[in-house]
Amino acid sequence: MTQINELDHNLTFLINSWHAPFWDNFFFDYSKVWVWFPLYISYIYIFIRQEKKQAWMFIVSMILCFLIANHVSADIIKPLVARFRPSHDPLLQNSLHIINNYRGGNYGFVSSHAANTTGLAILLSLIIRNRLNTIMLICWTLLTSYSRIYLGVHFLGDTLGGMVLGSIAALIAYSLLKYLYKRYGQTSGDVMQIPSFSEKHIYVSVWVYVATCAVMLIVSV
């Protein structure tokens, strides 16, 4: 266990040490929750646009996934485990590259950012079976987790733990969606028939993600 903890510290310090002013600005913005509101809204738009009166089931599953991931990570696991963030760890806090004096709360295991993004990414990939959509969501999740390590507010282990929690939250939310769709949606027997989403609708979210990243890249110069 000591060796794993030491490896976690070393990898986190290594990632945090690869910094430059441009990437400081980019990852600081990338890590902000409100930056991704347009992406969330784009998926809600897709569901409403295509599913109309049945869109509420998909939206409810997204909300449930977020609530499970965020509540369990922030209100249960973090105070229970009480593992200091790198930015508050006595062995690391004075050696890290801290951006805009942002250090987060005291405890970091598990990462709520990683849990929330992983949960939504897996859930939305299960709902919308499209390769481009899935690749985009994987990039979103991995870069979000990387940004937390880059900023020095999470260990690599914190983000991996958050990904596991997010995966569980996604499966629970998807199970609820299957139940709701079986009861209220268009089903055939006991089989849940999630509709095939139109590519022109799917690409709305993809372009929103690309546009958001492009804006952050521009303002980071």
Side-chain angles (χ1 to χ4, degrees):
M1 192 67 182
T2 302
Q3 291 179 333
I4 294 176
N5 192 54
E6 183 178 351
L7 178 62
D8 195 15
H9 276 64
N10 291 338
L11 289 175
T12 299
F13 184 77
L14 180 63
I15 293 172
N16 175 260
S17 66
W18 294 335
H19 59 83
F22 175 85
W23 294 114
D24 288 356
N25 296 330
F26 178 78
F27 284 119
F28 186 78
D29 289 338
Y30 199 98
S31 190
K32 294 176 180 176
V33 175
W34 63 266
V35 166
W36 300 110
F37 282 176
L39 184 63
Y40 306 146
I41 294 171
S42 70
Y43 280 105
I44 293 174
Y45 166 81
I46 291 172
F47 296 143
I48 294 175
R49 180 71 174 168
Q50 181 156 326
E51 289 298 293
K52 298 178 173 59
K53 292 182 179 180
Q54 297 186 130
W56 67 270
M57 292 181 282
F58 297 89
I59 298 171
V60 165
S61 69
M62 285 180 62
I63 294 173
L64 177 65
C65 182
F66 175 82
L67 289 177
I68 293 174
N70 195 66
H71 173 66
V72 173
S73 63
D75 300 325
I76 298 178
I77 298 180
K78 281 180 181 175
L80 183 64
V81 176
R83 185 193 194 195
F84 283 123
R85 295 176 186 265
S87 53
H88 291 280
D89 189 306
L91 298 176
L92 286 178
Q93 60 181 351
N94 295 324
S95 303
L96 290 173
H97 176 65
I98 300 298
I99 301 168
N100 297 332
N101 201 33
Y102 171 61
R103 295 179 178 271
N106 286 329
Y107 304 133
F109 187 87
V110 296
S111 166
S112 296
H113 277 70
N116 295 338
T117 54
T118 300
L120 289 174
I122 292 177
L123 176 63
L124 292 168
S125 295
L126 289 171
I127 294 173
I128 301 176
R129 305 296 179 96
N130 175 274
R131 181 177 298 179
L132 185 58
N133 175 70
T134 300
I135 292 173
M136 180 270 286
L137 288 169
I138 290 174
C139 291
W140 177 52
T141 299
L142 292 179
L143 282 176
T144 297
S145 295
Y146 183 87
S147 74
R148 304 304 288 167
I149 305 170
Y150 182 97
L151 295 175
V153 294
H154 279 296
F155 289 104
L156 175 61
D158 298 342
T159 62
L160 294 177
M163 289 180 180
V164 172
L165 174 60
S167 301
I168 296 172
L171 294 177
I172 293 173
Y174 189 64
S175 297
L176 172 68
L177 177 59
K178 288 195 295 184
Y179 169 78
L180 293 175
Y181 212 81
K182 178 181 177 182
R183 182 165 183 177
Y184 301 108
Q186 300 172 357
T187 59
S188 175
D190 294 330
V191 180
M192 173 190 169
Q193 295 181 337
I194 287 289
S196 296
F197 287 82
S198 168
E199 286 191 356
K200 69 177 182 180
H201 293 151
I202 295 171
Y203 292 157
V204 170
S205 292
V206 174
W207 282 114
V208 167
Y209 175 78
V210 171
T212 303
C213 289
V215 170
M216 285 189 288
L217 287 170
I218 293 170
V219 301
S220 297
V221 175

